[in-house]
Amino acid sequence: MALTGIQIFKMTPKKNCKECGCPTCMAFSMKVAQGAMDISACPYMSEEALAQLSEATAPPMKTIKIGTGDNEYSLGGETVLYRHEKTFVSKTRYAVALCSCMDDAAIDAKLAQVAKVDYERIGEQMHAELLYVNYDEASGADRYVEVVKKAAASGKVLVLGCTDPEVAAKALAECKDGKPVLNGANASNYEAMNKVATEAGVVLGVGGATIDELYDTVAALEKLGNKNLMIDTTEDTIKDTFATTVQARRAALKDTDRTFGYPSIVNLVKIAKGDKYMQQALVSLFTMKYGSIVVMEELGYAEALPLFGLRQNLFTDPQKPMKVEPGIYPLNGADENSVCVTTVDFALTYFLVSGELERSGVPVNLVINDAGGLSVLTSWAAGKFSGNSISTFFKENVEDKVKSRKVIIPGKVAVLKGDIESKLPGWEVIVAPLEAVQLVKFLKDMQENGQL
């Protein structure tokens, strides 16, 4: 159970606070209890008290890191069950499954498809971050090592699905520098698998036939000194997998049971059983509840577009609006002579407006202003989307890139027309309709009348 500020205060050394830098020992203790400060910030704490308090005040779920360099990902570290309570910390990562039972042509085709789905949305790169390489006993250890090598060459972080310690050791010899996850510890092999994982310095994934068996195996591994773990909550059915995944997260965050305070792996290959529509439903479900790594049979554009949008919305801080990068976005083959349409950088506004502009088929340069990620009226009221800010942005970023001197502004800020015209000499300011859906007819009428 988490300690209160009073309990922490009783264990502080009560040194001269001017020396250690904290306002008072009580204020420091309260901040530690709230998670605002780390207990190690007090230089006078004894090693014994520091060890005891560090364990007691640590977050209920550990943050586990996998991968290296630009492909290093943090998993876990969550503090709430629901996004609206605060925010989620580490986004779900997606893995595409490979198997040593597959031939080279099938593996190459899947790797090519994984590489193909890679695009940017609101400043975030959307792609499958991991590959799950499953060991098929019938194909043998040598074949498994070959497939692991091929998967590692893709640059993706690997999850090795292997319960044989000897085979796992051979595979890790080829890829351990990339800091993969070794997912294969269970009640019958956890000691041997623990040795393989710790010697390679990688995260160990732990599974169990039931939630009780999973709990006991994790506890046994912790007794061996290994807390660099993930829990595989996949069971035989969708119902049992969902129940185990949710119960493990609730036990960690609500009941502060640190034995289940680890990120989770959910393998949809086992429970979706080749049904791609079921897989799509389940990956959405376990993105929300509460898969840290979700393994899929495949990930094409049809699956990726709605899935990555869901993940981005879910793992964005609700207190910070999503923004697109300010700049010029040519649509429908627009060039330097095409009319400009301007609006704010609020992501929802951008997608609504750009969608209608593309639907019109009229070439336009969509100019996104820096408005603090606020909507049109909100940014206008806050002074972030004004005649001055729009004219300044155009002078600095637009005038030297386009020859057209016509700009269409949102209908809801028609009041800015005169101000913009006075600050942008030579520009014709046109007021758009009030709603984005009206832009299609508006632009087509202008085009037919020769106004563009």
Side-chain angles (χ1 to χ4, degrees), residues 64-227:
I64 300 294
K65 292 186 179 294
I66 62 173
T68 58
D70 293 338
N71 291 333
E72 181 180 81
Y73 305 113
S74 295
L75 305 171
E78 303 298 344
T79 58
V80 294
L81 285 171
Y82 307 104
R83 176 179 179 267
H84 63 263
E85 292 180 276
K86 188 176 180 182
T87 186
F88 288 154
V89 177
S90 302
K91 69 181 67 173
T92 300
R93 301 295 177 175
Y94 300 128
V96 174
L98 303 174
C99 179
S100 59
C101 62
M102 300 167 61
D103 60 31
D104 286 337
I107 291 174
D108 290 342
K110 188 167 281 192
L111 289 175
Q113 178 61 40
V114 170
K116 185 178 178 182
V117 181
D118 189 351
Y119 62 94
E120 185 178 320
R121 182 180 190 268
I122 317 181
E124 182 182 333
Q125 209 63 28
M126 303 297 187
H127 60 101
E129 296 89 356
L130 300 92
L131 294 172
Y132 189 99
V133 189
N134 194 57
Y135 171 55
D136 176 62
E137 191 173 340
S139 63
D142 291 341
R143 174 58 181 166
Y144 185 61
V145 173
E146 289 178 11
V147 176
V148 169
K149 284 183 181 179
K150 184 172 291 222
S154 70
K156 302 287 185 181
V157 181
L158 303 187
V159 182
L160 305 182
C162 179
T163 58
D164 187 318
E166 293 183 5
V167 177
K170 292 179 180 179
L172 282 172
E174 303 296 334
C175 66
K176 65 181 180 181
D177 291 342
K179 296 299 178 185
V181 178
L182 173 58
N183 185 37
N186 55 43
S188 62
N189 70 359
Y190 70 88
E191 290 181 296
M193 293 295 283
N194 178 65
K195 183 178 179 182
V196 172
T198 52
E199 287 180 352
V202 300
V203 176
L204 180 60
V206 190
T210 65
I211 191 171
D212 293 331
E213 183 178 293
L214 174 61
Y215 185 93
D216 292 341
T217 306
V218 173
L221 282 163
E222 288 183 326
K223 287 182 180 179
L224 294 176
N226 191 354
K227 293 189 177 182

